[in-house]
């Protein structure tokens, strides 16, 4: 450490310290030795850490040429192989087993409520309309028109039931009140809640 | 009745006089060092310095120097001693003055407090 630096440091401190040190027979050399010792320990720490990382191969960028080659190879592979990359490839996501799934499930089957052919991915919204989100009007109308027809055609024993629901529905429909929730009175008027 | 030793041990070597004289007087620096360590002040100081040196980027500079050295000489041919020798001169020189001043002040405070 240069003497100038020392003097610069000393100026920052109050004189009392200097007097104390002189009184104790200590000179600035002690200070400098202790400081250097501390610093050497820290330098050894840093060196040993870097050494460890290098020897264990934890430093990926240690050999830049190697890194550049690897990156260019990766880029080339990505460019030439469109189905290779995972998440960002159109609408097909590749999972860990290498399978791709379309965004909307496309298996078709029959709805057990209304008997229509429905796509699996559209089944939930279909069910909502098919079974009604708690709206009796839509529910009964569907039951009467579509389901009743189906049941008739299949010769179901519930035909009497559907006939009953048929009449009530006609009442409702004549009031032009489909889609409004409310109680139905015998006079056929619907009151809104 | 003579007892037999359960362990056959060579006789304890005598402490030699000249060694004793030389080694007996610990230097002032050693005394201070011991006091630093005993009081835990050395550990605190080292933590403080480490923190300051990381903040000011000194540690990153040293790590970069190490990596350059390792790249130049081959990853498997480098020892810790080589690295220490390589970075010490630059390391000592590139300590910022503020860090140096802070550390020196703390050491001085400690010395004075310990002496009384």
């Amino acid at each position: 450490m240069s003497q100038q630096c020392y003097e610069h440091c000393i100026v920052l401190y109050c004189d009392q310290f200097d007097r104390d040190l002189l009184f104790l027979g200590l000179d600035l050399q002690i200070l400098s030795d202790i400081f250097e010792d501390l610093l050497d320990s820290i330098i050894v720490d840093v060196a040993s850490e870097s050494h460890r990382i290098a020897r264990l191969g934890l430093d990926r960028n240690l050999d830049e040429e190697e890194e550049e080659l690897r990156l260019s190879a990766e880029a080339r592979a990505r460019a030439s192989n469109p189905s290779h990359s995972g998440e960002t490839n159109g609408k097909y996501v590749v999972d860990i087993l290498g399978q791709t799934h379309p965004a909307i499930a496309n298996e078709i089957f029959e709805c057990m409520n209304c008997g229509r052919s429905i796509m699996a991915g559209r089944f939930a919204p279909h069910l909502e309309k098919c079974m009604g989100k708690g709206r009796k009007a839509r529910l009964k109308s569907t039951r009467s028109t579509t389901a009743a027809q189906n049941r008739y055609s299949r010769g179901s024993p519930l035909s009497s039931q559907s006939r009953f629901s048929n009449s009530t529905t006609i009442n409702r429909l004549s009031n032009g009140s489909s889609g409004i929730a409310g109680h139905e009175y015998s006079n056929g008027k619907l009151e809104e809640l | 009745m003579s007892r037999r030793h359960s362990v056959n041990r060579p006789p304890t070597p005598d402490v030699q006089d000249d060694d004793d004289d030389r080694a007996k007087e610990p230097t002032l620096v050693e005394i201070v060092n011991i006091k630093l360590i005993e009081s835990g002040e050395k550990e605190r100081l080292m933590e403080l310095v480490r923190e300051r040196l990381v903040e000011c980027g000194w540690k990153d500079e040293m790590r970069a120097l190490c990596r350059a050295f390792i790249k130049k000489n081959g990853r498997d041919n480098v020892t810790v001693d080589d690295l220490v020798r390589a970075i010490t001169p630059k390391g000592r020189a590139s300590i910022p003055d503020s860090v140096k001043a802070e550390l020196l002040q703390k050491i001085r405070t400690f010395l004075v407090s310990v002496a009384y």
Side-chain angles (χ1 to χ4, degrees):
Chain A
M1 266 204 293
S2 70
Q3 189 59 31
Q4 289 163 329
C5 177
Y6 256 128
E7 281 156 11
H8 170 70
C9 291
I10 289 163
V11 165
L12 298 172
Y13 310 141
C14 85
D15 286 333
Q16 184 59 35
F17 272 144
D18 286 336
R19 266 183 256 133
D20 283 340
L21 285 180
L22 286 172
F23 177 77
L24 296 167
L26 299 170
D27 64 353
L28 294 169
Q29 193 55 39
I30 291 277
L31 224 51
S32 133
D33 286 344
I34 297 173
F35 176 74
E36 297 236 317
D37 182 49
L38 224 49
L39 201 54
D40 283 342
S41 299
I42 292 178
I43 288 178
V44 169
D45 283 348
V46 173
S48 110
E49 191 187 327
S50 296
H51 180 263
R52 173 184 172 268
I53 287 176
R55 288 299 297 260
L56 290 180
L58 298 175
D59 188 358
R60 289 182 16 150
N61 297 331
L62 190 60
D63 195 345
E64 269 185 22
E65 269 185 53
E66 198 179 87
E67 177 78 9
E68 262 178 68
L69 284 173
R70 199 162 49 80
L71 284 175
S72 63
E74 265 179 56
R76 237 178 283 131
R78 229 177 290 138
S80 63
N81 200 354
S83 65
H84 194 66
S85 74
E87 254 77 56
T88 58
N89 199 2
K91 61 172 184 170
Y92 285 91
V93 176
V94 184
D95 68 14
I96 57 169
L97 299 171
Q99 303 169 338
T100 58
H101 304 279
I104 301 175
N106 53 10
E107 188 167 309
I108 297 182
F109 61 93
E110 203 180 271
C111 168
M112 60 286 293
N113 200 34
C114 64
R116 303 226 294 262
S117 305
I118 307 292
M119 242 179 65
R122 300 294 310 163
F123 188 54
H126 163 77
L127 268 188
E128 279 182 343
K129 296 189 198 93
C130 182
M131 303 178 79
K133 303 168 198 163
R135 296 202 179 166
K136 293 183 189 169
R138 225 178 269 171
L139 191 91
K140 284 187 180 170
S141 100
T142 318
R143 278 219 189 124
S144 70
T145 53
T146 333
Q149 287 170 14
N150 284 346
R151 286 192 193 132
Y152 269 129
S153 59
R154 285 186 218 142
S156 131
L158 300 167
S159 50
S160 55
Q161 207 175 347
S162 44
R163 245 183 274 140
F164 174 77
S165 58
N166 217 343
S167 54
T168 357
T169 318
I170 290 171
N171 239 344
R172 281 177 177 251
L173 284 175
S174 64
N175 286 332
S177 56
S178 66
I180 299 173
H183 293 303
E184 189 177 357
Y185 291 87
S186 52
N187 62 2
K189 270 206 179 153
L190 267 178
E191 289 231 349
E192 287 179 40
L193 281 172
Chain B
M1 185 153 57
S2 68
R3 278 218 186 143
R4 286 195 315 143
H5 293 285
S6 56
V7 174
N8 277 341
R9 200 182 273 153
T12 314
D14 288 332
V15 176
Q16 296 180 17
D17 275 341
D18 41 338
D19 270 346
D20 202 15
D21 274 340
R22 239 182 309 160
K24 208 171 190 171
E25 275 307 318
T27 66
L28 202 49
V29 179
E30 281 170 14
I31 297 175
V32 172
N33 216 7
I34 291 168
K35 283 250 177 277
L36 267 177
I37 295 173
E38 276 178 354
S39 64
E41 188 64 20
K42 182 158 194 194
E43 194 60 41
R44 278 193 287 270
L45 286 176
M46 282 193 66
E47 276 310 307
L48 175 71
V49 178
R50 276 198 202 108
E51 197 185 313
R52 293 277 177 266
L53 291 178
V54 166
E55 281 170 3
C56 69
W58 177 91
K59 185 173 175 190
D60 295 325
E61 275 178 43
M62 293 301 114
R63 296 268 300 262
L65 281 179
C66 288
R67 277 168 54 177
F69 185 84
I70 290 170
K71 231 161 84 170
K72 195 167 111 182
N73 294 49
R75 205 177 69 159
D76 295 322
N77 304 337
V78 173
T79 67
V80 179
D81 286 336
D82 293 338
L83 282 177
V84 169
R85 244 174 281 131
I87 65 175
T88 296
K90 183 84 197 297
R92 284 190 187 165
S94 62
I95 297 274
D97 283 343
S98 58
V99 175
K100 213 180 287 185
E102 192 182 348
L103 194 61
L104 287 174
Q105 170 157 31
K106 289 222 152 51
I107 297 174
R108 289 162 70 121
T109 315
F110 173 76
L111 285 177
V112 171
S113 70
V114 143
Y116 289 126

